[in-house]
Amino acid sequence: MFKKILIANRGEIACRIIWTCKELGIRTVAVYSEADEDALHVRFADEAIRIGPPNPRQSYLSMPAIISAAEITNVDAIHPGYGFLAENARFAEICESCNIRFVGPSPRAIRTMGDKAAARQAMIEAGVPVVPGSDGIVETAEDAQRAGDEIGYPLMLKASAGGGGRGMRIVHDSKDVAGAFETASNEALGAFGDGSMYMERYVGDARHIEIQVVADAHGNVVHLGERECSVQRRHQKLIEESPSPALTPAEREAMGSAAVAACKHIGYESLGTIEFLYDRTRKEFYFMEMNTRIQVEHPVTEMVTNADLVRAQILIAAGEPLNFTQEDVSFVGHSIECRVNAEDPRTFAPSPGKITALNMPGGPGVRVDTHAYAGYTVPPYYDSLVAKIVTYARTRERAIARMQRALEATIVEGIKTTIPLHMQILASEKFRSGDISTRFMDTFFDE
Ligand code: MV4
Protein backbone atom coordinates (compact mmCIF):
# COMPACT_ATOMS: atom_id res chain seq x y z
CA MET A 1 0.00 0.00 0.00
CA PHE A 2 1.06 3.60 -0.55
CA LYS A 3 2.81 5.28 2.36
CA LYS A 4 2.36 8.84 1.15
CA ILE A 5 0.09 10.52 -1.42
CA LEU A 6 0.24 14.02 -2.86
CA ILE A 7 -3.13 15.61 -3.56
CA ALA A 8 -2.90 17.73 -6.70
CA ASN A 9 -6.03 19.71 -5.96
CA ARG A 10 -7.70 22.11 -3.53
CA GLY A 11 -11.06 22.86 -1.95
CA GLU A 12 -13.55 20.31 -0.73
CA ILE A 13 -12.21 17.44 -2.85
CA ALA A 14 -8.68 17.83 -1.47
CA CYS A 15 -10.16 17.62 2.05
CA ARG A 16 -12.30 14.64 1.02
CA ILE A 17 -9.24 12.75 -0.26
CA ILE A 18 -7.28 13.56 2.90
CA TRP A 19 -10.11 12.10 5.07
CA THR A 20 -9.84 8.74 3.34
CA CYS A 21 -6.02 8.75 3.36
CA LYS A 22 -6.12 9.29 7.13
CA GLU A 23 -8.45 6.31 7.52
CA LEU A 24 -6.12 4.20 5.39
CA GLY A 25 -3.06 5.31 7.38
CA ILE A 26 -1.55 7.01 4.32
CA ARG A 27 0.39 10.22 4.89
CA THR A 28 -0.69 13.20 2.79
CA VAL A 29 1.01 16.08 1.02
CA ALA A 30 -1.06 19.14 0.10
CA VAL A 31 -0.04 21.57 -2.61
CA TYR A 32 -1.39 25.10 -2.60
CA SER A 33 -1.26 28.39 -4.42
CA GLU A 34 -0.61 31.78 -2.87
CA ALA A 35 -4.39 32.28 -2.78
CA ASP A 36 -4.84 29.17 -0.64
CA GLU A 37 -2.43 29.89 2.24
CA ASP A 38 -5.34 29.71 4.69
CA ALA A 39 -7.11 26.76 3.05
CA LEU A 40 -8.22 23.77 5.10
CA HIS A 41 -6.55 21.17 2.89
CA VAL A 42 -3.22 22.80 3.78
CA ARG A 43 -4.04 22.51 7.49
CA PHE A 44 -5.22 18.91 7.37
CA ALA A 45 -2.41 17.40 5.28
CA ASP A 46 0.73 16.10 6.98
CA GLU A 47 2.89 18.29 4.75
CA ALA A 48 2.11 21.21 2.47
CA ILE A 49 4.09 22.67 -0.41
CA ARG A 50 3.37 26.09 -1.90
CA ILE A 51 3.58 25.64 -5.65
CA GLY A 52 2.92 29.04 -7.18
CA PRO A 53 0.78 32.11 -7.70
CA PRO A 54 -3.05 32.17 -7.62
CA ASN A 55 -3.41 31.72 -11.39
CA PRO A 56 -4.08 27.97 -11.73
CA ARG A 57 -1.89 27.75 -14.85
CA GLN A 58 1.09 28.50 -12.61
CA SER A 59 -0.01 26.36 -9.67
CA TYR A 60 -2.66 23.62 -9.75
CA LEU A 61 -2.22 23.13 -13.52
CA SER A 62 1.57 23.37 -13.50
CA MET A 63 2.96 19.88 -14.06
CA PRO A 64 6.58 20.86 -13.25
CA ALA A 65 5.49 22.51 -9.99
CA ILE A 66 3.44 19.50 -8.91
CA ILE A 67 5.99 16.89 -9.95
CA SER A 68 8.72 18.85 -8.13
CA ALA A 69 6.59 18.91 -4.97
CA ALA A 70 6.04 15.16 -5.32
CA GLU A 71 9.77 14.51 -5.78
CA ILE A 72 10.77 16.69 -2.83
CA THR A 73 8.32 14.97 -0.51
CA ASN A 74 9.03 11.49 -1.89
CA VAL A 75 5.40 10.41 -2.37
CA ASP A 76 4.33 7.06 -3.85
CA ALA A 77 1.30 8.40 -5.67
CA ILE A 78 -0.54 11.52 -6.82
CA HIS A 79 -4.32 11.87 -6.49
CA PRO A 80 -5.57 14.46 -8.99
CA GLY A 81 -9.14 14.93 -7.64
CA TYR A 82 -11.45 16.41 -10.30
CA GLY A 83 -10.81 19.27 -12.73
CA PHE A 84 -7.26 20.64 -13.08
CA LEU A 85 -5.01 17.71 -14.20
CA ALA A 86 -7.45 14.89 -13.43
CA GLU A 87 -8.10 13.99 -17.08
CA ASN A 88 -4.78 15.03 -18.56
CA ALA A 89 -3.23 11.96 -20.20
CA ARG A 90 0.18 13.62 -20.45
CA PHE A 91 0.23 14.30 -16.72
CA ALA A 92 -0.63 10.66 -15.99
CA GLU A 93 2.23 9.67 -18.31
CA ILE A 94 4.70 12.01 -16.62
CA CYS A 95 3.74 10.63 -13.20
CA GLU A 96 4.40 7.08 -14.35
CA SER A 97 7.73 8.05 -15.95
CA CYS A 98 8.77 9.61 -12.62
CA ASN A 99 7.83 6.38 -10.89
CA ILE A 100 4.89 7.99 -9.13
CA ARG A 101 1.56 6.16 -9.33
CA PHE A 102 -1.24 8.25 -10.84
CA VAL A 103 -4.46 7.53 -8.92
CA GLY A 104 -6.61 7.08 -12.00
CA PRO A 105 -6.73 5.06 -15.20
CA SER A 106 -3.97 4.55 -17.77
CA PRO A 107 -2.93 7.46 -20.02
CA ARG A 108 -4.34 5.44 -22.93
CA ALA A 109 -7.80 5.19 -21.35
CA ILE A 110 -7.78 8.91 -20.50
CA ARG A 111 -6.79 9.73 -24.08
CA THR A 112 -9.44 7.50 -25.69
CA MET A 113 -12.23 8.88 -23.52
CA GLY A 114 -10.99 12.45 -23.91
CA ASP A 115 -11.43 12.11 -27.67
CA LYS A 116 -15.22 12.02 -27.80
CA ALA A 117 -15.39 10.64 -31.37
CA ALA A 118 -12.91 7.87 -30.47
CA ALA A 119 -14.91 7.11 -27.32
CA ARG A 120 -18.09 6.84 -29.39
CA GLN A 121 -16.32 4.45 -31.77
CA ALA A 122 -15.02 2.32 -28.88
CA MET A 123 -18.55 2.11 -27.46
CA ILE A 124 -19.97 0.97 -30.80
CA GLU A 125 -17.35 -1.79 -30.80
CA ALA A 126 -18.26 -2.68 -27.21
CA GLY A 127 -21.93 -3.06 -28.19
CA VAL A 128 -22.99 -0.11 -26.03
CA PRO A 129 -25.86 1.91 -27.55
CA VAL A 130 -24.87 5.32 -28.94
CA VAL A 131 -27.13 8.01 -30.43
CA PRO A 132 -27.55 7.34 -34.17
CA GLY A 133 -25.09 9.63 -35.95
CA SER A 134 -22.08 10.02 -38.18
CA ASP A 135 -19.65 7.23 -38.85
CA GLY A 136 -16.68 8.74 -37.02
CA ILE A 137 -15.36 12.21 -37.75
CA VAL A 138 -17.02 14.40 -40.38
CA GLU A 139 -14.19 15.88 -42.47
CA THR A 140 -15.81 18.56 -44.65
CA ALA A 141 -18.93 20.71 -44.93
CA GLU A 142 -20.06 18.52 -47.84
CA ASP A 143 -19.69 15.41 -45.67
CA ALA A 144 -21.62 17.18 -42.91
CA GLN A 145 -24.40 17.94 -45.39
CA ARG A 146 -24.55 14.32 -46.56
CA ALA A 147 -24.38 12.82 -43.05
CA GLY A 148 -26.85 15.38 -41.71
CA ASP A 149 -29.48 14.65 -44.33
CA GLU A 150 -29.13 10.96 -43.55
CA ILE A 151 -29.33 11.38 -39.74
CA GLY A 152 -32.21 13.86 -39.98
CA TYR A 153 -32.96 17.05 -38.04
CA PRO A 154 -32.61 18.37 -35.45
CA LEU A 155 -29.09 17.07 -34.95
CA MET A 156 -26.07 17.92 -32.87
CA LEU A 157 -22.61 18.82 -34.07
CA LYS A 158 -20.08 17.91 -31.40
CA ALA A 159 -16.35 18.62 -31.14
CA SER A 160 -14.24 15.48 -30.61
CA ALA A 161 -12.02 17.47 -28.26
CA GLY A 162 -15.00 19.01 -26.44
CA GLY A 163 -17.15 17.37 -23.82
CA GLY A 164 -19.17 18.47 -20.84
CA GLY A 165 -21.26 20.59 -23.17
CA ARG A 166 -18.35 22.49 -24.72
CA GLY A 167 -18.09 22.63 -28.49
CA MET A 168 -21.68 21.56 -29.20
CA ARG A 169 -24.22 23.01 -31.60
CA ILE A 170 -27.81 22.09 -32.50
CA VAL A 171 -28.77 22.22 -36.20
CA HIS A 172 -32.49 22.32 -36.98
CA ASP A 173 -32.49 22.44 -40.76
CA SER A 174 -30.64 20.93 -43.70
CA LYS A 175 -29.89 24.40 -45.11
CA ASP A 176 -27.92 25.32 -41.98
CA VAL A 177 -25.75 22.25 -41.53
CA ALA A 178 -22.80 23.14 -43.80
CA GLY A 179 -22.47 26.65 -42.33
CA ALA A 180 -22.85 25.38 -38.77
CA PHE A 181 -20.17 22.78 -39.42
CA GLU A 182 -17.68 25.43 -40.61
CA THR A 183 -18.35 27.73 -37.66
CA ALA A 184 -18.36 24.97 -35.03
CA SER A 185 -15.23 23.33 -36.42
CA ASN A 186 -13.37 26.66 -36.44
CA GLU A 187 -14.50 27.40 -32.90
CA ALA A 188 -13.30 23.97 -31.77
CA LEU A 189 -9.96 24.55 -33.49
CA GLY A 190 -9.57 27.83 -31.63
CA ALA A 191 -10.72 26.50 -28.28
CA PHE A 192 -9.12 23.03 -28.23
CA GLY A 193 -6.52 23.14 -31.02
CA ASP A 194 -8.54 20.41 -32.75
CA GLY A 195 -11.40 21.11 -35.16
CA SER A 196 -12.59 17.49 -35.47
CA MET A 197 -16.39 17.19 -35.36
CA TYR A 198 -18.92 14.36 -35.26
CA MET A 199 -22.69 14.34 -35.50
CA GLU A 200 -25.61 12.79 -33.61
CA ARG A 201 -29.39 12.91 -33.80
CA TYR A 202 -30.59 15.48 -31.23
CA VAL A 203 -32.40 13.92 -28.29
CA GLY A 204 -34.62 16.74 -27.04
CA ASP A 205 -36.54 15.31 -24.11
CA ALA A 206 -33.68 13.68 -22.26
CA ARG A 207 -32.36 12.95 -18.83
CA HIS A 208 -28.69 12.86 -17.88
CA ILE A 209 -28.16 9.60 -16.02
CA GLU A 210 -24.67 8.30 -15.27
CA ILE A 211 -23.37 4.98 -13.98
CA GLN A 212 -20.56 4.72 -11.43
CA VAL A 213 -18.09 1.96 -12.24
CA VAL A 214 -15.14 0.49 -10.37
CA ALA A 215 -12.65 -1.66 -12.27
CA ASP A 216 -9.54 -3.19 -10.73
CA ALA A 217 -6.23 -4.26 -12.30
CA HIS A 218 -7.34 -7.92 -12.28
CA GLY A 219 -10.25 -7.65 -14.72
CA ASN A 220 -13.02 -7.26 -12.14
CA VAL A 221 -15.58 -4.61 -13.10
CA VAL A 222 -18.56 -3.69 -10.94
CA HIS A 223 -21.12 -0.89 -11.29
CA LEU A 224 -22.52 1.01 -8.32
CA GLY A 225 -25.78 2.14 -9.86
CA GLU A 226 -26.73 5.48 -11.29
CA ARG A 227 -26.86 9.16 -10.49
CA GLU A 228 -29.56 11.38 -11.92
CA CYS A 229 -27.96 14.69 -12.90
CA SER A 230 -30.64 16.34 -15.03
CA VAL A 231 -30.96 19.47 -12.87
CA GLN A 232 -28.24 21.57 -14.47
CA ARG A 233 -27.77 25.06 -15.78
CA ARG A 234 -25.32 25.84 -18.58
CA HIS A 235 -23.85 22.36 -18.06
CA GLN A 236 -23.23 23.08 -14.39
CA LYS A 237 -24.99 20.52 -12.23
CA LEU A 238 -27.04 21.93 -9.37
CA ILE A 239 -28.69 18.89 -7.78
CA GLU A 240 -27.86 15.20 -8.17
CA GLU A 241 -29.51 12.14 -6.70
CA SER A 242 -29.36 8.39 -6.54
CA PRO A 243 -31.31 6.37 -7.52
CA SER A 244 -32.86 8.14 -10.52
CA PRO A 245 -36.63 8.51 -10.11
CA ALA A 246 -36.90 7.54 -13.81
CA LEU A 247 -35.35 4.08 -13.98
CA THR A 248 -37.06 0.74 -13.48
CA PRO A 249 -34.93 -2.04 -11.94
CA ALA A 250 -34.67 -3.61 -15.41
CA GLU A 251 -33.45 -0.35 -16.98
CA ARG A 252 -30.92 0.12 -14.16
CA GLU A 253 -29.64 -3.39 -14.78
CA ALA A 254 -29.40 -2.79 -18.55
CA MET A 255 -27.59 0.53 -18.12
CA GLY A 256 -25.26 -0.93 -15.48
CA SER A 257 -24.43 -3.93 -17.67
CA ALA A 258 -23.72 -1.63 -20.63
CA ALA A 259 -21.34 0.41 -18.45
CA VAL A 260 -19.53 -2.73 -17.28
CA ALA A 261 -19.25 -3.97 -20.90
CA ALA A 262 -17.82 -0.57 -21.89
CA CYS A 263 -15.09 -0.82 -19.23
CA LYS A 264 -14.24 -4.41 -20.06
CA HIS A 265 -13.95 -3.62 -23.75
CA ILE A 266 -11.39 -0.87 -23.23
CA GLY A 267 -9.55 -2.66 -20.40
CA TYR A 268 -10.42 0.16 -18.02
CA GLU A 269 -8.71 0.11 -14.61
CA SER A 270 -9.86 2.63 -12.03
CA LEU A 271 -13.05 4.25 -10.92
CA GLY A 272 -15.04 6.02 -13.61
CA THR A 273 -18.42 7.28 -14.73
CA ILE A 274 -20.30 6.51 -17.92
CA GLU A 275 -22.75 9.26 -18.82
CA PHE A 276 -25.90 8.27 -20.64
CA LEU A 277 -28.55 10.31 -22.33
CA TYR A 278 -31.93 8.77 -21.47
CA ASP A 279 -34.55 9.47 -24.11
CA ARG A 280 -37.78 9.97 -22.17
CA THR A 281 -39.98 9.54 -25.23
CA ARG A 282 -38.44 6.33 -26.56
CA LYS A 283 -37.38 5.05 -23.12
CA GLU A 284 -33.94 4.26 -24.52
CA PHE A 285 -30.48 5.21 -23.34
CA TYR A 286 -27.36 6.13 -25.25
CA PHE A 287 -23.70 6.53 -24.32
CA MET A 288 -22.64 10.19 -24.15
CA GLU A 289 -19.22 10.45 -22.52
CA MET A 290 -17.01 8.72 -19.99
CA ASN A 291 -15.41 10.61 -17.12
CA THR A 292 -12.19 9.03 -15.95
CA ARG A 293 -12.03 10.84 -12.58
CA ILE A 294 -13.76 10.92 -9.20
CA GLN A 295 -16.76 13.18 -9.70
CA VAL A 296 -18.14 16.01 -7.61
CA GLU A 297 -21.41 14.13 -7.08
CA HIS A 298 -19.82 10.84 -5.91
CA PRO A 299 -21.26 11.16 -2.36
CA VAL A 300 -24.83 10.27 -3.41
CA THR A 301 -23.51 6.90 -4.64
CA GLU A 302 -21.55 6.44 -1.43
CA MET A 303 -24.72 7.02 0.60
CA VAL A 304 -26.89 4.43 -1.16
CA THR A 305 -24.16 1.78 -1.58
CA ASN A 306 -22.22 2.38 1.67
CA ALA A 307 -18.98 2.48 -0.37
CA ASP A 308 -16.01 4.83 0.03
CA LEU A 309 -15.23 5.60 -3.60
CA VAL A 310 -11.97 7.42 -2.89
CA ARG A 311 -10.81 4.41 -0.88
CA ALA A 312 -11.73 2.08 -3.76
CA GLN A 313 -9.90 4.35 -6.21
CA ILE A 314 -6.72 4.37 -4.09
CA LEU A 315 -6.79 0.59 -3.48
CA ILE A 316 -7.26 -0.06 -7.21
CA ALA A 317 -4.30 2.21 -8.05
CA ALA A 318 -2.22 0.23 -5.55
CA GLY A 319 -3.09 -2.96 -7.44
CA GLU A 320 -5.49 -4.42 -4.88
CA PRO A 321 -8.28 -6.60 -6.22
CA LEU A 322 -11.90 -5.55 -5.52
CA ASN A 323 -13.09 -7.38 -2.43
CA PHE A 324 -16.72 -7.51 -3.61
CA THR A 325 -18.64 -8.65 -6.70
CA GLN A 326 -21.70 -7.26 -8.49
CA GLU A 327 -23.89 -9.59 -6.44
CA ASP A 328 -22.57 -8.04 -3.22
CA VAL A 329 -23.69 -4.55 -4.27
CA SER A 330 -27.08 -3.47 -3.00
CA PHE A 331 -28.82 -0.13 -3.10
CA VAL A 332 -30.58 1.10 0.00
CA GLY A 333 -32.53 4.33 0.37
CA HIS A 334 -32.28 7.61 -1.51
CA SER A 335 -29.64 10.33 -1.51
CA ILE A 336 -29.67 13.91 -2.81
CA GLU A 337 -26.83 16.41 -3.17
CA CYS A 338 -27.16 20.19 -3.44
CA ARG A 339 -24.10 22.05 -4.70
CA VAL A 340 -23.75 25.22 -2.69
CA ASN A 341 -21.87 27.61 -4.95
CA ALA A 342 -20.57 31.09 -4.14
CA GLU A 343 -22.80 32.60 -6.83
CA ASP A 344 -25.74 34.90 -7.23
CA PRO A 345 -28.69 32.46 -7.23
CA ARG A 346 -30.44 34.30 -10.07
CA THR A 347 -27.64 35.40 -12.40
CA PHE A 348 -25.08 32.74 -11.39
CA ALA A 349 -22.42 35.47 -11.35
CA PRO A 350 -19.53 34.42 -9.08
CA SER A 351 -19.68 35.84 -5.55
CA PRO A 352 -16.26 35.38 -4.00
CA GLY A 353 -15.38 37.04 -0.69
CA LYS A 354 -15.13 36.53 3.03
CA ILE A 355 -17.54 34.19 4.79
CA THR A 356 -18.36 36.18 7.89
CA ALA A 357 -20.63 33.62 9.56
CA LEU A 358 -21.10 29.95 8.84
CA ASN A 359 -23.28 27.14 10.12
CA MET A 360 -23.39 23.80 8.39
CA PRO A 361 -26.27 21.39 9.01
CA GLY A 362 -26.07 18.02 10.70
CA GLY A 363 -28.33 15.48 12.31
CA PRO A 364 -29.59 12.15 10.98
CA GLY A 365 -28.91 11.44 7.30
CA VAL A 366 -27.00 14.67 6.58
CA ARG A 367 -23.46 14.80 5.19
CA VAL A 368 -21.53 17.95 4.35
CA ASP A 369 -18.38 17.97 2.22
CA THR A 370 -16.81 21.40 2.48
CA HIS A 371 -13.60 23.31 2.96
CA ALA A 372 -15.40 26.42 4.18
CA TYR A 373 -15.13 27.85 7.69
CA ALA A 374 -16.19 31.08 9.37
CA GLY A 375 -13.65 33.72 8.37
CA TYR A 376 -12.59 31.86 5.20
CA THR A 377 -12.28 33.95 2.06
CA VAL A 378 -13.55 32.30 -1.13
CA PRO A 379 -10.91 33.24 -3.71
CA PRO A 380 -12.03 34.43 -7.14
CA TYR A 381 -9.58 32.26 -9.11
CA TYR A 382 -11.17 28.83 -8.87
CA ASP A 383 -14.56 27.13 -9.19
CA SER A 384 -17.26 28.47 -6.93
CA LEU A 385 -18.22 25.27 -5.08
CA VAL A 386 -18.14 25.98 -1.34
CA ALA A 387 -20.06 23.00 0.06
CA LYS A 388 -21.93 19.90 -0.94
CA ILE A 389 -24.90 19.22 1.26
CA VAL A 390 -25.96 15.61 0.95
CA THR A 391 -28.97 13.96 2.52
CA TYR A 392 -29.91 10.34 2.86
CA ALA A 393 -33.23 8.74 3.82
CA ARG A 394 -35.31 5.65 3.14
CA THR A 395 -37.38 7.32 0.40
CA ARG A 396 -36.95 10.20 -2.08
CA GLU A 397 -39.71 12.16 -0.38
CA ARG A 398 -37.96 11.93 2.98
CA ALA A 399 -34.55 12.76 1.46
CA ILE A 400 -36.13 15.92 0.01
CA ALA A 401 -37.71 16.85 3.36
CA ARG A 402 -34.37 16.25 5.04
CA MET A 403 -32.62 18.49 2.48
CA GLN A 404 -35.15 21.26 3.08
CA ARG A 405 -34.58 21.23 6.83
CA ALA A 406 -30.80 20.93 6.30
CA LEU A 407 -30.75 23.98 4.01
CA GLU A 408 -32.89 25.91 6.50
CA ALA A 409 -30.16 25.29 9.10
CA THR A 410 -27.39 26.35 6.73
CA ILE A 411 -26.02 29.84 7.32
CA VAL A 412 -23.47 31.34 4.95
CA GLU A 413 -23.05 35.08 5.48
CA GLY A 414 -20.82 37.50 3.59
CA ILE A 415 -21.21 35.92 0.14
CA LYS A 416 -24.16 35.02 -2.05
CA THR A 417 -24.89 31.32 -2.52
CA THR A 418 -27.17 29.12 -4.58
CA ILE A 419 -29.08 27.98 -1.46
CA PRO A 420 -32.20 30.09 -2.20
CA LEU A 421 -32.37 28.51 -5.66
CA HIS A 422 -32.07 25.02 -4.17
CA MET A 423 -34.94 25.79 -1.79
CA GLN A 424 -37.06 26.95 -4.70
CA ILE A 425 -36.30 23.82 -6.77
CA LEU A 426 -36.94 21.46 -3.85
CA ALA A 427 -40.33 23.12 -3.24
CA SER A 428 -41.40 22.89 -6.89
CA GLU A 429 -44.01 20.37 -7.97
CA LYS A 430 -41.97 19.42 -11.03
CA PHE A 431 -38.94 18.40 -9.00
CA ARG A 432 -40.97 16.71 -6.29
CA SER A 433 -42.78 14.56 -8.83
CA GLY A 434 -39.45 13.56 -10.41
CA ASP A 435 -40.43 15.19 -13.71
CA ILE A 436 -36.95 16.43 -14.53
CA SER A 437 -35.08 16.64 -17.81
CA THR A 438 -32.04 18.44 -19.13
CA ARG A 439 -34.40 21.33 -19.90
CA PHE A 440 -35.63 21.56 -16.28
CA MET A 441 -33.81 24.83 -15.55
CA ASP A 442 -34.66 26.42 -18.93
CA THR A 443 -38.28 26.76 -17.90
CA PHE A 444 -37.84 26.90 -14.15
CA PHE A 445 -37.83 30.68 -13.69
CA ASP A 446 -40.85 31.09 -15.99
CA GLU A 447 -43.17 29.09 -13.77
C1 MV4 B 1 -26.72 15.60 -26.44
C2 MV4 B 1 -28.01 16.14 -26.22
C3 MV4 B 1 -29.01 15.76 -27.09
N1 MV4 B 1 -28.74 14.93 -28.12
N2 MV4 B 1 -26.51 14.78 -27.48
C4 MV4 B 1 -24.48 17.99 -22.95
C5 MV4 B 1 -23.24 17.64 -22.25
C6 MV4 B 1 -22.57 16.61 -23.05
N3 MV4 B 1 -22.11 15.54 -22.22
C7 MV4 B 1 -23.58 16.14 -24.04
N4 MV4 B 1 -24.74 16.98 -23.89
C8 MV4 B 1 -25.85 16.75 -24.63
N5 MV4 B 1 -25.69 15.89 -25.67
C9 MV4 B 1 -27.50 14.47 -28.29
N6 MV4 B 1 -27.26 13.65 -29.35
C10 MV4 B 1 -28.19 17.00 -25.16
C11 MV4 B 1 -27.11 17.33 -24.36
C12 MV4 B 1 -27.42 18.28 -23.33
C13 MV4 B 1 -27.43 17.94 -22.00
C14 MV4 B 1 -27.11 16.66 -21.58
C15 MV4 B 1 -27.11 16.33 -20.25
C16 MV4 B 1 -27.47 17.29 -19.31
C17 MV4 B 1 -27.80 18.56 -19.70
C18 MV4 B 1 -27.78 18.90 -21.04
C19 MV4 B 1 -28.12 20.19 -21.41
C20 MV4 B 1 -28.10 20.52 -22.72
C21 MV4 B 1 -27.74 19.58 -23.69
Side-chain angles (χ1 to χ4, degrees), residues 85-232:
L85 298 169
E87 288 170 293
N88 188 310
R90 210 159 74 77
F91 181 63
E93 242 159 33
I94 291 168
C95 288
E96 301 295 301
S97 69
C98 294
N99 228 352
I100 300 165
R101 198 85 180 90
F102 176 77
V103 182
S106 67
R108 195 181 60 85
I110 298 174
R111 208 162 266 132
T112 304
M113 290 304 160
D115 179 336
K116 306 302 164 186
R120 183 180 145 89
Q121 204 51 47
M123 291 306 111
I124 293 169
E125 284 161 21
V128 175
V130 299
V131 188
S134 63
D135 205 3
I137 287 168
V138 180
E139 302 281 354
T140 64
E142 296 80 65
D143 290 346
Q145 185 74 59
R146 218 170 303 127
D149 292 344
E150 200 165 302
I151 295 162
Y153 301 88
L155 58 74
M156 273 194 126
L157 275 166
K158 295 187 175 183
S160 299
R166 299 172 317 145
M168 302 189 326
R169 206 179 215 84
I170 303 179
V171 183
H172 290 278
D173 195 292
S174 175
K175 70 173 167 28
D176 300 327
V177 69
F181 172 85
E182 294 289 3
T183 320
S185 179
N186 273 317
E187 274 176 19
L189 187 63
F192 317 117
D194 177 359
S196 308
M197 304 295 297
Y198 64 104
M199 295 160 90
E200 288 178 353
R201 176 168 66 74
Y202 177 65
V203 182
D205 189 24
R207 288 175 180 263
H208 171 140
I209 301 178
E210 57 188 32
I211 299 278
Q212 178 70 55
V213 290
V214 282
D216 69 16
H218 308 272
N220 304 303
V221 185
V222 172
H223 76 82
L224 294 176
E226 81 281 12
R227 294 185 287 261
E228 163 77 61
C229 306
S230 296
V231 181
Q232 321 193 346

Side-chain angles (χ1 to χ4, degrees), residues 377-398:
T377 298
V378 178
Y381 313 102
Y382 314 108
D383 83 15
S384 60
L385 185 68
V386 290
K388 304 189 299 204
I389 299 183
V390 183
T391 62
Y392 172 77
R394 290 290 289 276
T395 65
R396 182 171 192 267
E397 204 180 359
R398 288 168 63 182

Side-chain angles (χ1 to χ4, degrees), residues 2 17 27 31 58 80 84 99 218 227 236 253 272 281 331 411 413 433 438:
F2 304 128
I17 295 161
R27 291 177 58 80
V31 292
Q58 296 165 68
F84 297 125
N99 228 352
H218 308 272
R227 294 185 287 261
Q236 292 299 310
E253 170 53 32
T281 316
F331 307 103
I411 299 168
E413 284 177 7
S433 68
T438 54

